[in-house]
Amino acid sequence: MGQAFGCIQVDQSTVAIKENFGKYDDVLGPGFHFMPWCFGSQLAGYLSLRVQQLDITCESKTKDNVFVTLVASIQYRALEDKAADAFYKLSNTKEQIQAYVFDVIRATVPTLELDKVFEQKTEIAKTVGERLEKVMSLYGYEIVQTLIVDVEPDDQVKSSMNEINAASRLREAAFEKAEGEKILQIKQAEGEAESNYLAGLGIARQRQAIVEGLKESVIGFSTSVPGASTKDVMDMILITQYFDTMKAISVSANSSAVFIPHELEDATSEQR
């Protein structure tokens, strides 16, 4: 209705393109504007200055012959001081941006192996952004941000990568388990060695105490019984230990020892 009376309203973050008899005349900012159609003035259209986002899905092949699908997110906006270029020079902005994104991705990804594509997402996005900024500025657009938001390999490749990752983690777990068992065995061996060492010290001290006791017994017996030799004392000690041993075996309920009279052995020796 307003245009019928030569009046238009331009909303915030929007500009209007004014023509005079079909020729570009002016860019009208937000607010109320008088446009007398009777003098050839007319509204060519509106152009939004807001940031817009375009998500582009592109398939390409890596250097190691793996097909991957990349999703690029392009944020762009028209420049107010170049609104005429943005309005007139491009008929379809999104298709133009998409064409350049495809060109850059399909020129960059084939030079990288699959793992490098994942590692260099930021570098790929930077390359795309620089190329778009250089070209789209000629058409009155600014590239605000360029992101590679997803890298999706073929399903079979994903499955293989998961299996490789799982196998690698299993190897690491087996290695850590083996290292733990190795440390445990070393500690056990060290403990057994220390135990045997202490047991040896105990036995040595026990034998030393026995020798000291026997020595004192021999000296005491020789002093108390004049004329007794060292051999007599040792024979008496051995007989005493013999009877003590016999007594200890006989009182054991679980004893299975069989005694053979030593006289039989002496008789056999004499017959020979």
Side-chain angles (χ1 to χ4, degrees), residues 36-89:
W37 56 268
C38 56
F39 293 103
S41 298
Q42 63 180 7
L43 177 67
Y46 294 97
L47 180 67
S48 175
L49 301 179
R50 296 175 181 174
V51 175
Q52 303 179 61
Q53 179 167 312
L54 176 62
D55 293 328
I56 301 172
T57 301
C58 177
E59 186 180 40
S60 184
K61 187 174 73 170
T62 64
K63 186 177 181 180
D64 47 354
N65 296 322
V66 177
F67 282 94
V68 293
T69 300
L70 286 81
V71 179
S73 181
I74 312 298
Q75 297 175 355
Y76 65 98
R77 68 183 181 93
L79 298 173
E80 186 173 3
D81 57 341
K82 295 183 178 181
D85 291 337
F87 186 82
Y88 287 106
K89 287 187 176 181

Side-chain angles (χ1 to χ4, degrees), residues 104-125:
V104 174
I105 289 179
R106 288 174 177 170
T108 304
V109 173
T111 64
L112 303 173
E113 294 182 351
L114 180 60
D115 292 340
K116 291 295 183 180
V117 174
F118 283 98
E119 295 174 3
Q120 299 184 18
K121 287 198 307 180
T122 304
E123 287 76 7
I124 296 174

Side-chain angles (χ1 to χ4, degrees), residues 45 74 82 84 122 124 148 162-163 168 182 225 231:
I74 312 298
K82 295 183 178 181
T122 304
I124 296 174
I148 302 296
N162 291 334
E163 291 178 359
S168 176
K182 176 182 176 182
V225 182
K231 182 178 182 304

Side-chain angles (χ1 to χ4, degrees), residues 231-242:
K231 182 178 182 304
D232 294 334
V233 176
M234 292 303 299
D235 289 343
M236 187 191 71
I237 292 174
L238 290 175
I239 291 172
T240 303
Q241 290 183 345
Y242 173 77

Side-chain angles (χ1 to χ4, degrees), residues 243-264:
F243 284 115
D244 289 340
T245 303
M246 296 287 289
K247 180 180 178 181
I249 295 174
S250 63
V251 298
S252 176
N254 298 323
S255 177
S256 60
V258 177
F259 295 95
I260 300 176
H262 63 280
E263 289 82 5
L264 296 177

Side-chain angles (χ1 to χ4, degrees), residues 144-156:
V144 179
Q145 185 68 273
T146 303
L147 301 171
I148 302 296
V149 296
D150 192 18
V151 177
E152 192 77 12
D154 183 77
D155 290 339
Q156 293 183 352

